[in-house]
Amino acid sequence: MAIILGIEASCDDTSAAVIRDGLILSNVIANQDVHKTYGGVIPELASRAHQQNIIPVVHRALELAQIDKKELSAIAFTKGPGLMGSLLVGVSFAKGLAQSLNIPLVEVNHLQGHILAHFIDDPVKELPHPRFPFLCLLVSGGHTQLVALQDPLSFEIIGQTIDDAAGEAFDKCAKVMGLLYPGGPVIDKLAKEGNPLAFTFTKPKVGGLNYSFSGLKTSFLYFLKDEVAKNLDFIEKNKADLCASLQHTIISILLENLIKASKETGIKEIAAAGGVSANSGLRKALITEGKKRGWNVYIPEFRFTTDNAAMIAITGYFKFLDGQTSALDVTPVTRI
Ligand code: KG4
Ligand code: ZN
């Protein structure tokens, strides 16, 4: 039996989770509302909030799991990518606790965590697991990648963004419209009332299976500037249509390469992961496309889309079983 405590503190959420043999026992997340008013994550404030939250969050995760810290087999933590000041809090805490309990430390790549969240088991609900090999569209605030997995611990990135991530496109365009951070969920909500074909925005032309979102952000900004110059109320009057059209464009860019990747690799087991996979339009489009193309589509539970420690614990569990533990001098990395 392996009981893993997962710790995630890479950006603006402090989270701790306990997983026993792949089964989730707890997953506690403390969000940081402090960044909302600034329109983005302020690194200094994020590290300070992690410092305040980490002990109560870990305590609560153990309490909810009804696990004593002495029963833990290992501690898995996010090594990166992320904000240095945030990562340092999680890594230092994990090291201290692992050393005091004399148990192994397991470093986890945050992005791998998002993908392997698909392998979490739940005691009250059966969660489907993709079969290997499968393709994963990983879409978060910092990354957009197409990943092919052969088994839980071996994967290949077959396409990725050359500039902004899909989540960044949502967040930056939302900011231009004066919406609160993070903009993705706000756009998702407003888009439900709008017409996705009201406005068209140019799609980037990037080679292979790569993505680009910075051009879309710029063309959206200039389009709004022109329209607002003619009519000051343009954004307010067209908010729902703007959100629906923007979301529609981002989704079609994401799906185009996913379809291409499935054709090129012949893989029809298709999963989505990361914060943007919470988007209702993307979830619907994946199901529709999947039916059309004979894919088995795996969409994560909402609670496992955005940052959480359960995904770190499950990845740590696979690595622990494989004997992949880390030395005590391990340090966080902002990029991987
Ligand atoms: O995976 P995540 O929690 O953090 C990173 O690792 O980056 O992803 C956060 C991103 C943000 O850009 C946020 O706007 C986006 O996920 N997001 C969404 C939705 N929920 C979160 N984007 C579109 N629609 C949503 N419903
Ligand atoms: Zn993330």
Side-chain angles (χ1 to χ4, degrees), residues 79-81 108-111 143 145 333-336:
K79 179 180 173 171
V108 170
N109 171 341
H110 178 86
L111 303 173
H143 296 82
Q145 297 180 335
V333 288
T334 53
R335 289 170 173 273
I336 288 181

Side-chain angles (χ1 to χ4, degrees), residues 110 114 140 307:
H110 178 86
H114 271 301
S140 72
D307 292 348

Side-chain angles (χ1 to χ4, degrees), residues 103-123:
I103 55 173
L105 262 181
V106 184
E107 66 193 58
V108 170
N109 171 341
H110 178 86
L111 303 173
Q112 197 178 0
H114 271 301
I115 301 174
L116 295 183
H118 280 285
F119 295 89
I120 296 170
D121 286 319
D122 189 304

Side-chain angles (χ1 to χ4, degrees), residues 127-193:
L127 304 175
H129 302 336
R131 284 174 306 183
F132 293 98
F134 73 93
L135 283 182
C136 186
L137 172 67
L138 172 59
V139 270
S140 72
H143 296 82
T144 298
Q145 297 180 335
L146 281 167
V147 186
L149 283 95
Q150 301 304 327
D151 64 59
L153 301 178
S154 43
F155 59 91
E156 189 190 351
I157 298 164
I158 57 171
Q160 60 187 320
T161 181
I162 57 166
D163 41 54
D164 290 352
E168 240 173 317
F170 271 109
D171 296 341
K172 287 180 178 171
C173 292
K175 196 170 179 180
V176 174
M177 287 188 280
L179 305 175
L180 278 183
Y181 177 85
V186 187
I187 289 184
D188 189 355
K189 196 164 165 216
L190 288 166
K192 290 194 174 112
E193 314 293 321

Side-chain angles (χ1 to χ4, degrees), residues 172-298:
K172 287 180 178 171
C173 292
K175 196 170 179 180
V176 174
M177 287 188 280
L179 305 175
L180 278 183
Y181 177 85
V186 187
I187 289 184
D188 189 355
K189 196 164 165 216
L190 288 166
K192 290 194 174 112
E193 314 293 321
N195 173 9
L197 304 175
F199 305 105
T200 45
F201 304 108
T202 38
K203 289 196 221 157
K205 288 190 176 56
V206 204
L209 295 172
N210 286 336
Y211 289 108
S212 164
F213 286 100
S214 72
L216 174 64
K217 171 197 67 192
T218 315
S219 76
F220 187 72
L221 175 69
Y222 283 110
F223 169 75
L224 286 187
K225 270 194 176 157
D226 286 349
E227 294 299 330
V228 170
K230 288 183 258 172
N231 170 10
L232 269 180
D233 292 335
F234 180 79
I235 297 179
E236 206 43 55
K237 289 234 164 78
N238 296 282
K239 213 169 244 177
D241 284 348
L242 284 166
C243 289
S245 303
L246 179 73
Q247 180 170 299
H248 175 75
T249 311
I250 295 175
I251 293 170
S252 60
I253 295 170
L254 290 173
L255 283 185
E256 233 166 69
N257 279 7
L258 180 61
I259 294 166
K260 216 166 143 198
S262 166
K263 280 186 186 156
E264 282 179 15
T265 58
I267 300 174
K268 293 190 170 212
E269 292 281 301
I270 307 289
V276 180
S277 70
N279 185 269
S280 58
L282 176 61
R283 294 165 89 93
K284 241 186 251 161
L286 282 166
I287 292 168
T288 311
E289 211 58 52
K291 278 195 185 128
K292 209 159 81 191
R293 299 177 186 277
W295 292 349
N296 288 324
V297 173
Y298 302 88

